[in-house]
Amino acid sequence: MDRAKIILIGGVPGVGKTSISGYVASRLGINIVLSGDYLREFLRAYSFEDNDPLKYSVYDSWKDFGPMNEDNIIRGYLKQGNLLWKGLHRVISRAIDNGESMIIELLYFLPQFIRDFSSKDLLPLYLYLSDEKLHANRLNEREEFTHYNSPGSRLVSHLFEYRVIMTYTLRNLKDAGIIAYDNLDYHRTRDEILDKVGDFTGHIPDR
């Protein structure tokens, strides 16, 4: 790779972004995989105000805005996302300046910030699941494969909130022209994304 290539893989919990990010990184020799969850956790260390939006998990972020409904879920999500992207914007810019390629997998997939970067430097891809029952099953399976100490049952109890965020994001992606993958078949989606990222980086792996 002659210049830094940043691959942004977005999606709510349970859609497969951690598994696919790791697979693509290993196949293409990308040594840095950054999780948005850990960036959020880092920022929490500097959150001192009672009204700081990062004090909540994303599924509870509506609590600053009143009762739980779809509008307040999105308001909470955007408030957290706007704060997180202040840090993420710097991370991506630094990686590009340093010539370091990386994959970033994250929940807060906001096209208004993604557009700040050239399509030559950053490839945004979004994962979703149209099948709600399959989504619940994937959340329950996470602790068997990638998130060993994160009980899926806790996340399944917030499936409604996650799918509200997912639906909102998909609407915005259409306007931004960002590719979204319905990850009903993990292996097919994985291979499609590997091909897409391979084209972007100029490194086409052998099958």
Side-chain angles (χ1 to χ4, degrees):
M1 303 176 194
D2 295 330
R3 58 190 289 166
K5 298 293 186 180
I6 312 300
I7 298 96
L8 201 63
I9 298 180
V12 299
V15 298
K17 60 185 182 294
T18 300
S19 298
I20 288 178
S21 295
Y23 177 79
V24 171
S26 65
R27 290 297 306 276
L28 296 180
I30 298 173
N31 296 320
I32 303 173
V33 179
L34 176 65
S35 168
D37 287 349
Y38 292 108
L39 177 58
R40 182 181 62 186
E41 200 63 28
F42 176 83
L43 292 174
R44 279 175 172 161
Y46 299 93
S47 301
F48 303 108
E49 302 296 332
D50 289 339
N51 64 349
D52 192 295
L54 294 180
K55 68 179 181 289
Y56 295 118
S57 293
V58 69
Y59 51 71
D60 283 333
S61 60
W62 54 267
K63 291 182 177 180
D64 276 338
F65 298 98
M68 190 184 82
N69 55 46
E70 292 188 12
D71 287 342
N72 286 340
I73 289 169
I74 297 305
R75 291 174 73 187
Y77 164 72
L78 291 176
K79 188 173 182 180
Q80 287 191 344
N82 287 334
L83 182 57
L84 183 135
W85 265 93
K86 290 181 180 179
L88 190 57
H89 199 286
R90 287 176 173 267
V91 170
I92 295 172
S93 297
R94 178 67 177 268
I96 292 170
D97 289 344
N98 287 352
E100 294 179 292
S101 294
M102 66 174 59
I103 295 176
I104 303 170
E105 56 105 344
L106 79 165
L107 164 65
Y108 303 93
F109 205 81
L110 304 180
Q112 63 267 36
F113 295 106
I114 294 169
R115 283 193 290 263
D116 289 345
F117 298 96
S118 167
S119 60
K120 294 180 180 179
D121 297 320
L122 187 144
L123 174 66
L125 305 168
Y126 191 76
L127 297 174
Y128 71 101
L129 280 168
S130 58
D131 186 322
E132 185 171 349
K133 184 176 180 180
L134 179 60
H135 193 175
N137 290 340
R138 294 266 182 89
L139 284 170
N140 278 318
E141 292 171 352
R142 276 171 33 124
E143 59 189 303
E144 297 180 28
F145 300 105
T146 56
H147 298 71
Y148 302 111
N149 295 318
S150 179
S153 57
R154 174 178 61 85
L155 300 180
V156 170
S157 68
H158 296 287
L159 185 61
F160 172 76
E161 294 95 305
Y162 291 142
R163 292 188 70 81
V164 167
I165 292 168
M166 183 184 74
T167 301
Y168 170 83
T169 305
L170 285 170
R171 285 199 304 266
N172 284 277
L173 295 188
K174 290 181 180 179
D175 295 336
I178 294 173
I179 301 173
Y181 295 85
D182 190 356
N183 191 18
L184 298 173
D185 182 326
Y186 169 76
H187 291 93
R188 184 179 68 185
T189 303
R190 182 193 70 181
D191 290 342
E192 288 177 356
I193 289 179
L194 182 64
D195 287 342
K196 184 69 177 178
V197 175
D199 288 341
F200 174 65
T201 61
H203 180 186
I204 309 300
D206 295 331
R207 289 291 185 200

